[in-house]
Short mmCIF file of all heavy atoms in Angstrom, two decimals:
data_model
loop_
_atom_site.label_atom_id
_atom_site.label_comp_id
_atom_site.label_asym_id
_atom_site.label_seq_id
_atom_site.Cartn_x
_atom_site.Cartn_y
_atom_site.Cartn_z
N THR A 87 -96.18 51.30 -98.29
CA THR A 87 -95.65 52.34 -97.41
C THR A 87 -96.65 52.74 -96.34
O THR A 87 -96.28 52.94 -95.17
CB THR A 87 -95.25 53.57 -98.25
OG1 THR A 87 -94.18 53.21 -99.12
CG2 THR A 87 -94.81 54.72 -97.36
N LEU A 88 -97.91 52.86 -96.70
CA LEU A 88 -98.93 53.32 -95.76
C LEU A 88 -99.40 52.21 -94.82
O LEU A 88 -99.75 52.46 -93.66
CB LEU A 88 -100.12 53.89 -96.52
CG LEU A 88 -99.83 55.11 -97.40
CD1 LEU A 88 -101.08 55.56 -98.14
CD2 LEU A 88 -99.27 56.26 -96.56
N ALA A 89 -99.40 50.96 -95.29
CA ALA A 89 -99.96 49.87 -94.49
C ALA A 89 -98.96 49.25 -93.53
O ALA A 89 -99.34 48.81 -92.44
CB ALA A 89 -100.52 48.79 -95.43
N LEU A 90 -97.69 49.20 -93.92
CA LEU A 90 -96.72 48.45 -93.11
C LEU A 90 -96.53 49.02 -91.70
O LEU A 90 -96.53 48.24 -90.73
CB LEU A 90 -95.38 48.38 -93.85
CG LEU A 90 -94.26 47.65 -93.11
CD1 LEU A 90 -94.67 46.22 -92.78
CD2 LEU A 90 -92.96 47.66 -93.92
N PRO A 91 -96.36 50.33 -91.51
CA PRO A 91 -96.14 50.82 -90.14
C PRO A 91 -97.26 50.47 -89.18
O PRO A 91 -97.02 50.13 -88.02
CB PRO A 91 -96.00 52.33 -90.34
CG PRO A 91 -95.54 52.50 -91.75
CD PRO A 91 -96.24 51.42 -92.50
N VAL A 92 -98.51 50.54 -89.66
CA VAL A 92 -99.66 50.24 -88.79
C VAL A 92 -99.66 48.76 -88.41
O VAL A 92 -99.84 48.40 -87.24
CB VAL A 92 -100.97 50.61 -89.51
CG1 VAL A 92 -102.17 50.23 -88.65
CG2 VAL A 92 -100.99 52.10 -89.83
N ALA A 93 -99.47 47.89 -89.40
CA ALA A 93 -99.48 46.45 -89.12
C ALA A 93 -98.30 46.06 -88.22
O ALA A 93 -98.43 45.19 -87.35
CB ALA A 93 -99.43 45.67 -90.43
N PHE A 94 -97.15 46.71 -88.41
CA PHE A 94 -95.99 46.40 -87.59
C PHE A 94 -96.26 46.74 -86.12
O PHE A 94 -95.96 45.95 -85.22
CB PHE A 94 -94.77 47.17 -88.08
CG PHE A 94 -93.53 46.93 -87.27
CD1 PHE A 94 -92.69 45.88 -87.58
CD2 PHE A 94 -93.22 47.74 -86.19
CE1 PHE A 94 -91.56 45.64 -86.83
CE2 PHE A 94 -92.09 47.52 -85.43
CZ PHE A 94 -91.25 46.46 -85.75
N ALA A 95 -96.81 47.92 -85.86
CA ALA A 95 -97.09 48.31 -84.49
C ALA A 95 -98.09 47.36 -83.85
O ALA A 95 -97.96 46.99 -82.67
CB ALA A 95 -97.61 49.75 -84.45
N ALA A 96 -99.11 46.93 -84.61
CA ALA A 96 -100.11 46.02 -84.07
C ALA A 96 -99.52 44.66 -83.71
O ALA A 96 -99.96 44.00 -82.77
CB ALA A 96 -101.24 45.84 -85.09
N MET A 97 -98.49 44.25 -84.42
CA MET A 97 -97.88 42.95 -84.20
C MET A 97 -97.31 42.82 -82.79
O MET A 97 -97.31 41.74 -82.19
CB MET A 97 -96.79 42.74 -85.26
CG MET A 97 -96.25 41.33 -85.36
SD MET A 97 -95.34 41.10 -86.90
CE MET A 97 -94.12 42.40 -86.83
N PHE A 98 -96.82 43.93 -82.23
CA PHE A 98 -96.22 43.91 -80.90
C PHE A 98 -97.15 44.51 -79.84
O PHE A 98 -96.70 44.92 -78.78
CB PHE A 98 -94.89 44.67 -80.91
CG PHE A 98 -93.79 43.94 -81.62
CD1 PHE A 98 -93.50 44.22 -82.94
CD2 PHE A 98 -93.06 42.95 -80.96
CE1 PHE A 98 -92.49 43.54 -83.60
CE2 PHE A 98 -92.04 42.27 -81.61
CZ PHE A 98 -91.76 42.56 -82.93
N ALA A 99 -98.45 44.55 -80.15
CA ALA A 99 -99.41 45.17 -79.23
C ALA A 99 -100.44 44.17 -78.73
O ALA A 99 -101.56 44.55 -78.40
CB ALA A 99 -100.11 46.34 -79.92
N SER A 100 -100.09 42.90 -78.65
CA SER A 100 -101.04 41.88 -78.22
C SER A 100 -101.50 42.12 -76.79
O SER A 100 -100.67 42.20 -75.87
CB SER A 100 -100.42 40.49 -78.33
OG SER A 100 -101.27 39.52 -77.76
#
Side-chain angles (χ1 to χ4, degrees):
T87 295
L88 298 178
L90 179 58
V92 177
F94 179 88
M97 192 164 55
F98 288 96
S100 173

